[in-house]
Amino acid sequence: MQTVVSGIRPTGNLHLGNYFGAIRNFVKMQEVDRCFFFIADYHSLTTHPVPNDLHGTIRNVLAEFLGTGVDPEKATLYVQSDVPEVAELTLIMNMNAYLGELLRSTSFKEKARTQPENVNAGLLTYPVLMAADIIIHKALKVPVGKDQEQHLEMTRTFAKRFNRMYHVEYFPEPLAYNFGENLVKIPGLNGSGKMGKSEGEGNAIFLIDPPEVIRKKVMRAVTDTGPAEPGQPKSEPVENLFTLISVMSDLQTLDFFEEEYQACRIRYGDLKKQLAEDIIRFTAPLREKILDIASNEDYLRKVTRLGAEKARESAAKTVKEVREIIGFKAF
Ligand code: TRP
């Protein structure tokens, strides 16, 4: 059993890419590991200082985690801002994070470029807060995408530096955990790249999209003019639709459209109709559970209280020990 920590910023609803890329694997990990999954609401303030309906967004993401099978009894599911110990550890870790290394972070440079009107200090120290999230539970495994690997590298740097500075072997070094062959990359609908909410309107299918919205998005997916001769390799947009079919539909359906394509008889409209119905069949039960949970105030209150209690127990122990290591002592 290893300790796992992963966080997700509450910036919108979860889509099929999140489901197959992360959540489905979280649900498996909670059976074997000591898992902490949290909603990184402090982090979201670095890009959205005045969030529009923060509470509602957090509620949705919580309902989505729960509706897709994260079990609050098995994993510790919590809201970052419910655990003030994280803020204290961040403050302490800030003292051994150097300006130069923070300025060199790719994500900081990227954000400084895209939001030049709001290059706040939180953006600069984002990696320190993220490191605190991880080391506060002494995690070893951090399931994150490629784009977060540099942050993990910085987390290791800060953890090692703390150990060296105070001559202790206190924080272990966490590693980015890649789901390997269990990682199913879901392409988006606009022809290139993976599914993502920031990739443009209609690129992502959200777990709570109603059937008519799913149909509309799938029917508008980018394709091409069709193969001109048998054996012609598929263009990226068409390859993407076949990938979606292979994940969402049964084998016969995939074989059927594959044959149609190879014989140059493919009708993308038929393929999309089938794909849309198969996505709807898959998401409908999840959607129903998510919406049901999102409207259940009592249940959400119970879940977040339990999560905060478990997360704070783990976090408070670390902060207490860190204080002792540094030399803050009670009189
Ligand atoms: N930075 C992560 C992202 O943007 C979210 C995150 C915050 C996180 N704290 C974390 C992920 C700790 C893993 C562990 O996706």
Side-chain angles (χ1 to χ4, degrees):
M1 187 170 79
Q2 290 188 323
T3 299
V4 175
V5 169
S6 199
I8 183 156
R9 278 173 295 129
T11 50
N13 291 108
L14 300 188
H15 50 67
L16 283 176
N18 301 129
Y19 180 79
F20 284 99
I23 302 194
R24 206 179 46 146
N25 290 311
F26 289 173
V27 172
K28 287 187 201 150
M29 287 179 115
Q30 71 187 359
E31 299 296 333
V32 287
D33 286 317
R34 175 177 175 252
C35 293
F36 293 89
F37 302 131
F38 69 96
I39 301 180
D41 55 350
Y42 283 145
H43 273 112
S44 69
L45 299 185
T46 61
T47 45
H48 294 79
V50 189
N52 180 10
D53 191 16
L54 181 60
H55 186 66
T57 318
I58 293 171
R59 171 208 308 276
N60 290 342
V61 180
L62 262 176
E64 285 169 331
F65 268 101
L66 294 162
T68 49
V70 171
D71 181 341
E73 303 282 341
K74 291 179 179 158
T76 297
L77 176 62
Y78 64 101
V79 179
Q80 187 185 34
S81 65
D82 281 346
V83 183
E85 288 81 2
V86 168
E88 181 172 351
L89 186 59
T90 303
L91 175 95
I92 290 171
M93 296 308 287
N94 267 336
M95 314 307 173
N96 69 13
Y98 299 118
L99 180 61
E101 65 194 342
L102 296 173
L103 285 169
R104 278 194 301 276
S105 138
T106 317
S107 64
F108 174 73
K109 287 194 281 193
E110 172 70 13
K111 284 287 179 314
R113 196 173 56 78
T114 52
Q115 54 177 64
E117 72 298 338
N118 181 24
V119 187
N120 60 74
L123 212 49
L124 184 71
T125 57
Y126 186 114
V128 186
L129 176 56
M130 179 158 163
D133 289 329
I134 295 167
I135 65 178
I136 207 159
H137 303 301
K138 298 186 152 189
L140 290 177
K141 270 173 144 171
V142 186
V144 282
K146 270 242 161 302
D147 62 325
Q148 296 296 314
E149 274 175 16
Q150 193 182 33
H151 287 151
L152 253 291
E153 180 83 53
M154 295 172 87
T155 301
R156 285 191 291 276
T157 302
F158 301 148
K160 277 190 282 190
R161 192 176 290 152
F162 179 91
N163 291 346
R164 220 178 318 114
M165 214 175 240
Y166 299 104
H167 309 289
V168 287
E169 302 246 348
Y170 186 68
F171 288 121
E173 285 183 48
L175 289 177
Y177 180 74
N178 188 312
F179 292 116
E181 58 195 37
N182 288 329
L183 185 73
V184 181
K185 275 199 197 132
I186 302 293
L189 295 173
N190 56 8
S192 70
K194 58 176 194 173
M195 187 171 280
K197 59 180 165 262
S198 49
E199 311 301 320
E201 188 72 24
N203 182 54
I205 305 240
F206 296 101
L207 299 178
I208 56 159
D209 275 346
E212 60 279 14
V213 170
I214 295 178
R215 287 193 191 101
K216 208 194 260 164
K217 286 180 178 173
V218 174
M219 294 318 285
R220 286 188 186 156
V222 176
T223 54
D224 58 23
T225 53
E229 52 187 273
Q232 184 176 315
K234 299 186 186 93
S235 64
E236 193 185 351
V238 172
E239 189 66 58
N240 288 350
L241 288 182
F242 273 89
T243 302
L244 284 168
I245 286 264
S246 74
V247 175
M248 308 302 311
S249 309
D250 59 25
L251 205 54
Q252 277 130 295
T253 307
L254 176 65
D255 287 348
F256 172 78
F257 287 110
E258 188 64 47
E259 255 171 56
E260 294 291 288
Y261 183 90
Q262 294 308 335
C264 300
R265 280 192 310 253
I266 185 98
R267 286 162 51 154
Y268 293 135
D270 291 350
L271 181 151
K272 288 173 169 181
K273 266 193 203 128
Q274 181 68 42
L275 176 60
E277 295 317 308
D278 289 335
I279 294 177
I280 291 165
R281 190 172 37 77
F282 180 83
T283 54
L286 297 177
R287 174 171 188 260
E288 197 183 321
K289 273 192 228 149
I290 292 167
L291 295 179
D292 191 44
I293 293 171
S295 64
N296 191 339
E297 289 284 332
D298 282 344
Y299 181 59
L300 290 174
R301 187 177 313 111
K302 270 197 206 117
V303 167
T304 46
R305 281 195 187 160
L306 175 67
E309 194 184 305
K310 291 199 286 179
R312 290 194 71 178
E313 190 185 318
S314 159
K317 178 169 184 292
T318 304
V319 168
K320 178 172 174 285
E321 291 168 353
V322 163
R323 283 170 154 268
E324 284 165 6
I325 289 169
I326 295 175
F328 294 120
K329 283 194 190 120
F331 283 96

